[in-house]
Amino acid sequence: MVYIFATVFVIAIVLSFVMTPFVRKFAILVGAVDQPNHRKVHTSLMPRLGGLAIYIAFVLTLGIMLPILVKIGVDVQFNAVFAILIGGSIIVLLGAFDDKVEISPKVKLLGQIIAACIVVFVFDLKVSFLTLPFGEAYNINGWLSTFITLFWIIGVTNAINLIDGLDGLAAGVSAIATATLLVLAIMMGNVTVIILSCLLLGSILGFLYFNFHPAKIFMGDSGSLFLGFALATLSILGFKQAAIVSLIVPILILGVPLSDTFFAIVRRIVKKEPISMADKSHLHHCLLQIGLTHRQTVLAIYGIAITFGFSAIILSQASLWILILTAVISILLIMAAQKLGLIQKREKTVFRSVVNMTTQLLGLKS
């Protein structure tokens, strides 16, 4: 079985590597290029649509391997496969259109809702339980399960999109998150998630060669939205039946994009700005402002993402201490955000109160 997984990974990485230069030429031909502005780091025109290379490699590899997997008797959950294929296709088309003509945030959100609804209502993939920190799981059904699942898919999809601000950043962080999901899927013996994670990881890495600084092509919304959607769906599938795993684990897997998105939302609410409004206070902007180079910033965030990934793996096996460890990680995250400037002056008072309250409850501060 290991050879099958390795074959899936290798085919995906090769196809992505081969397809990316062709997609780059196509993006230039159709005028899907990223214009530099005051908020962006790059200073010259850059072809987008790189997400098409990731998507094409993913779909082609799946088309090649799926009949083989069925023939040799591998138990594949077809509802999960088609949920990602159909929902992901909608997301990629939406993102590709935005890469070319820049559609409004409301239209993008509508497309994301449609794709998420396909996952939930057509293929019946939902968060079916919530696990409390000390291991007691509660089954959830009906509207609560539906709401949490839709919120998770749309939230993660946008979180990956929001961190796509530097060469190789979103692709690298997504690769680390996918690798973490792969490790956890192997630990749980979830064959479908293993196969889909190998597919996605290979497709990302083949593209990352051209996307790492200095980038030759951007993934664009076609890539960042697809990766977010795929990761969100895979995490639901991976933990749907694993009652020993807390909901905190998939949150930690995607800790970098989710925390960056959380702080961005807080900033904009406090400043009374639209949540969809872009700014230059994301994690990567702050690291650049304190003097790190482009490459150093990306590698630093990779390091943070790897730390979150290791934490997710450890916490999946150590539910007794999950509350304390999560609280400590949260405190460190907030303190780091304040130091870097992710949290501005008007937000600091709120977060300082949360930190003080949490430390007192844990007995870390009298």
Side-chain angles (χ1 to χ4, degrees):
M1 189 67 75
V2 174
Y3 295 108
I4 294 295
F5 300 149
T7 301
V8 169
F9 174 76
V10 171
I11 292 175
I13 201 171
V14 169
L15 285 176
S16 180
F17 184 85
V18 170
M19 288 301 305
T20 301
F22 290 102
V23 171
R24 184 180 185 276
K25 292 178 181 179
F26 176 73
I28 295 173
L29 181 66
V30 300
V33 294
D34 201 6
Q35 300 279 353
N37 59 37
H38 71 283
R39 194 180 62 86
K40 296 177 181 178
V41 176
H42 68 283
T43 56
S44 59
L45 291 176
M46 183 68 66
R48 293 192 282 196
L49 285 177
L52 287 181
I54 298 173
Y55 172 76
I56 291 170
F58 184 89
V59 173
L60 286 180
T61 306
L62 190 59
I64 293 169
M65 293 302 300
L66 196 56
I68 298 174
L69 294 171
V70 172
K71 187 175 182 179
I72 63 177
V74 176
D75 184 19
V76 179
Q77 294 176 254
F78 285 97
N79 65 325
V81 172
F82 288 112
I84 292 180
L85 275 179
I86 297 175
S89 297
I90 293 172
I91 289 291
V92 169
L93 286 173
L94 181 76
F97 192 61
D98 184 64
D99 287 340
K100 179 64 175 70
V101 299
E102 295 191 6
I103 58 181
S104 71
K106 290 181 180 179
V107 174
K108 283 198 286 187
L109 179 60
L110 177 61
Q112 293 165 25
I113 292 172
I114 292 171
C117 285
I118 287 173
V119 172
V120 173
F121 296 111
V122 177
F123 295 101
D124 195 33
L125 293 180
K126 299 178 185 178
V127 175
S128 55
F129 65 90
L130 289 177
T131 308
L132 295 181
F134 295 102
E136 188 173 357
Y138 292 91
N139 290 326
I140 56 173
N141 296 296
W143 67 267
L144 181 58
S145 174
T146 299
F147 173 79
I148 291 174
T149 307
L150 292 174
F151 182 82
W152 174 257
I153 293 174
I154 295 168
V156 173
T157 299
N158 282 285
I160 299 296
N161 182 243
L162 284 174
I163 66 165
D164 186 24
L166 294 179
D167 297 354
L169 181 55
V173 169
S174 297
I176 292 166
T178 306
T180 305
L181 276 171
L182 176 58
V183 171
L184 289 167
I186 291 171
M187 291 167 62
M188 292 185 289
N190 193 323
V191 175
T192 300
V193 177
I194 294 173
I195 293 169
L196 292 174
S197 295
C198 287
L199 268 170
L200 189 62
L201 183 58
S203 301
I204 295 170
L205 292 179
F207 169 78
L208 186 58
Y209 176 83
F210 300 94
N211 185 236
F212 195 74
H213 185 71
K216 298 178 178 64
I217 184 172
F218 289 164
M219 68 165 60
D221 278 14
S222 57
S224 59
L225 292 177
F226 173 68
L227 291 180
F229 175 83
L231 283 168
T233 307
L234 277 176
S235 63
I236 292 170
L237 179 65
F239 299 108
K240 185 177 181 183
Q241 297 175 342
I244 61 171
V245 180
S246 171
L247 187 64
I248 294 174
V249 173
I251 291 175
L252 278 175
I253 292 172
L254 296 156
V256 170
L258 291 179
S259 58
D260 195 35
T261 301
F262 171 72
F263 289 126
I265 291 172
V266 171
R267 277 198 311 273
R268 292 162 193 176
I269 290 175
V270 170
K271 294 178 181 179
K272 298 180 179 180
E273 297 174 344
I275 292 177
S276 60
M277 181 177 178
D279 62 28
K280 208 167 184 177
S281 297
H282 288 284
L283 175 59
H284 55 277
H285 293 127
C286 295
L287 290 174
L288 288 170
Q289 289 166 11
I290 65 173
L292 295 186
T293 66
H294 193 127
R295 188 182 292 259
Q296 288 171 339
T297 297
V298 172
L299 292 176
I301 297 176
Y302 283 2
I304 297 170
I306 290 170
T307 302
F308 274 117
F310 274 121
S311 299
I313 293 169
I314 292 170
L315 290 177
S316 72
Q317 302 298 308
S319 59
L320 181 62
W321 294 97
I322 196 168
L323 181 61
I324 295 175
L325 289 175
T326 302
V328 171
I329 291 171
S330 299
I331 291 169
L332 293 175
L333 180 63
I334 292 170
M335 292 172 66
Q338 290 180 345
K339 192 70 175 177
L340 289 172
L342 282 171
I343 306 173
Q344 305 301 326
K345 291 181 179 179
R346 282 178 291 182
E347 296 106 68
K348 284 186 178 180
T349 302
V350 177
F351 284 107
R352 190 177 291 113
S353 299
V354 174
V355 171
N356 290 337
M357 184 184 302
T358 307
T359 52
Q360 287 175 5
L361 287 173
L362 291 174
L364 300 176
K365 182 179 179 181
S366 59

